[in-house]
Amino acid sequence: MKQEGNAWALLPIGIFLVLFIGVGLLASDFSAMPAVVGFLIALMAALLQNRKVPFSRKLTAMSQGAGEENVMVMCVIFLLAGAFSGAVTAAGGADSVVNMGLSVLPPRFAVAGIFVIACFISLSMGTSMGTIAALAPIAAGISEKAGISLAVCTGAVVCGAMFGDNLSMISDTTIAATRTQGCAMKDKFRVNFFIVLPAAVITVIIFLALTWNSRFELAEELPFNVFQALPYLFVLIAALMGLNVFFVLSAGTVLSLIAGVATGALPVSEIFTSVGNGVSGMFEITVISILVAGIVGIVRSNGGIDYLIRLVSKRIRTQKGAELGIAGLISVMDMATANNTIAIVMAGPIAKEISGEFGVEPKRTASILDIFASVWQGILPYGAQLLSAAKLTGLTPFAILPYLFYPVLMGISGLLSILLRRTEGQSRQP
């Protein structure tokens, strides 16, 4: 029988949320409190809590949580993903993919085409922020030339960016979701893809309907090199084939460097610098993952996880209820932190406990975590994605919100996949 747990053990997590949200609201800027600082303060609070427990035991609990196998593997994958991203970007791969997509864009496809291109780029790059940074200025140009609302064009970019952020094999959210649940990326991708595919198709139809009568022509040539874009394709196909992610990312990095040097886009003297820049870009999320795991280790030893599981699953009796509970848990976490990766890292261990109790498959739990974290991340007006898109286009996040069809439809698809699914497995007796 499970322990009742201890609500006070959750205080460190509460301290982080109060600091992160409070400082963000007071400063009208949610970057005013760096997440890593907030988690450091929360860790100190966890270590000072429960004076009946020797300090050495708290350090042991922290170390065991931070050094857990899945956490360490996840952190190394983060760094390898950063290495690949840095190498392929420096080698001109990102620019080539963007220009290649825009060069074959049919005029009548307009905004729907931007959405599809953003989907492909974010799926290849594994970053919604990088996709928005690359495509938002281009979307602004198409808006001006075609006379289409800038908010509509920008909304298409953000929608496509969230598609890949949720599905990409090298997205930090996918890495976090699969590692916390202990499932293969390809398995999570297959489950996730078929859940969100209807949302993507409907989004294309909506954008086509909104902009069907628009016309535009690109005044300048958009040069691209297919060879520079091949590393993205390799990583996507190799990951779907089920090859080891360490091999996939390492080989993708080497291929990117070869492509960059061979095409003259990347000087030989800068190959290690480009990799280093990409790796350093993942330092923050790596450190945050270790800190969160350490905090969770202490919270768990104090009974906080047992309490939270009991609180969340109190009314849960079936697999379907467990999946809805996990969806609600990750939604609250993302709304509180405005960072889908951090939300998954925090909610992952709790979701694993709930899914284990009710027989929910790890690949399905990982998909639910990633889907609902991405849903909220894509529509939060104080989230990094909308703030970045607004800054690059001169709009406000609230001007873009009405055109964020995909995150909303993704949430509906996620809910329907839970509500309409026939479940078999464990149920708790009343």
Side-chain angles (χ1 to χ4, degrees), residues 355-374:
S355 61
E357 181 175 348
F358 290 94
V360 181
E361 290 181 293
K363 60 185 179 182
R364 186 160 176 84
T365 304
S367 298
I368 292 171
L369 285 172
D370 206 345
I371 287 171
F372 285 94
S374 296

Side-chain angles (χ1 to χ4, degrees), residues 40-69:
L40 267 175
I41 295 172
L43 178 60
M44 293 302 104
L47 289 170
L48 293 173
Q49 201 178 14
N50 196 357
R51 296 187 179 182
K52 294 179 181 178
V53 177
F55 193 75
S56 59
R57 279 180 54 189
K58 297 175 187 176
L59 290 177
T60 299
M62 177 195 73
S63 301
Q64 288 175 342
E68 199 268 329
E69 179 184 354

Side-chain angles (χ1 to χ4, degrees), residues 347-430:
I350 303 166
K352 187 173 179 62
E353 296 274 0
I354 296 172
S355 61
E357 181 175 348
F358 290 94
V360 181
E361 290 181 293
K363 60 185 179 182
R364 186 160 176 84
T365 304
S367 298
I368 292 171
L369 285 172
D370 206 345
I371 287 171
F372 285 94
S374 296
V375 165
W376 293 103
Q377 193 63 34
I379 60 177
L380 288 176
Y382 52 88
Q385 285 75 7
L386 272 184
L387 290 174
S388 174
K391 183 177 180 181
L392 287 167
T393 57
L395 297 169
T396 66
F398 294 99
I400 305 169
L401 267 175
Y403 306 103
L404 299 178
F405 306 114
Y406 179 72
V408 174
L409 290 169
M410 177 167 53
I412 294 172
S413 295
L415 282 174
L416 289 177
S417 77
I418 295 173
L419 296 174
L420 301 181
R421 180 171 178 254
R422 295 179 62 183
T423 57
E424 296 178 6
Q426 301 176 32
S427 296
R428 178 184 292 153
Q429 297 301 317

Side-chain angles (χ1 to χ4, degrees), residues 17-297:
L17 295 177
V18 169
L19 281 174
F20 187 82
I21 298 172
V23 173
L25 290 174
L26 288 173
S28 298
D29 179 7
F30 279 83
S31 64
M33 167 57 78
V36 67
V37 175
F39 280 120
L40 267 175
I41 295 172
L43 178 60
M44 293 302 104
L47 289 170
L48 293 173
Q49 201 178 14
N50 196 357
R51 296 187 179 182
K52 294 179 181 178
V53 177
F55 193 75
S56 59
R57 279 180 54 189
K58 297 175 187 176
L59 290 177
T60 299
M62 177 195 73
S63 301
Q64 288 175 342
E68 199 268 329
E69 179 184 354
N70 280 328
V71 175
M72 288 294 98
V73 171
M74 178 173 66
C75 289
V76 175
I77 294 174
F78 279 149
L79 298 179
L80 287 174
F84 170 71
S85 179
V88 77
T89 300
D95 289 337
S96 282
V97 169
V98 172
N99 290 349
M100 186 165 55
L102 288 173
S103 296
V104 298
L105 181 66
R108 297 199 77 164
F109 216 53
V111 177
I114 287 292
F115 167 70
V116 172
I117 291 171
C119 287
F120 177 73
I121 293 172
S122 59
L123 191 64
S124 303
M125 294 174 64
T127 164
S128 55
M129 295 298 289
T131 302
I132 291 169
L135 282 181
I138 295 172
I142 290 176
S143 167
E144 183 179 352
K145 293 170 186 174
I148 304 171
S149 164
L150 179 56
V152 173
C153 294
T154 307
V157 171
V158 176
C159 286
M162 296 316 300
F163 176 88
D165 194 302
N166 168 232
L167 280 174
S168 175
M169 296 291 187
I170 57 173
S171 166
D172 46 9
T173 59
T174 293
I175 295 168
T178 53
R179 293 314 306 181
T180 57
Q181 302 311 305
C183 66
M185 289 187 181
K186 64 172 183 176
D187 294 334
K188 180 262 186 188
F189 178 89
R190 288 167 184 164
V191 172
N192 199 337
F193 178 75
F194 287 108
I195 292 175
V196 302
L197 180 60
V201 172
I202 295 172
T203 300
V204 169
I205 294 172
I206 292 174
F207 279 127
L208 277 173
L210 282 176
T211 60
W212 185 250
N213 294 322
S214 62
R215 297 285 188 278
F216 78 92
E217 291 182 11
L218 294 170
E220 56 184 312
E221 229 179 289
L222 296 173
F224 62 88
N225 188 310
V226 175
F227 190 48
Q228 292 174 342
L230 283 180
Y232 283 130
L233 193 60
F234 165 79
V235 167
L236 183 60
I237 294 175
L240 286 174
M241 288 174 61
L243 297 182
N244 185 280
V245 67
F246 285 83
F247 166 76
V248 171
L249 291 174
S250 299
T253 301
V254 173
L255 284 176
S256 300
L257 296 175
I258 293 173
V261 172
T263 57
L266 180 64
V268 176
S269 59
E270 295 180 11
I271 58 175
F272 295 113
T273 303
S274 65
V275 173
N277 289 338
V279 171
S280 63
M282 300 298 282
F283 282 171
E284 184 178 14
I285 188 59
T286 301
V287 172
I288 286 173
S289 298
I290 294 172
L291 288 174
V292 170
I295 293 168
V296 170

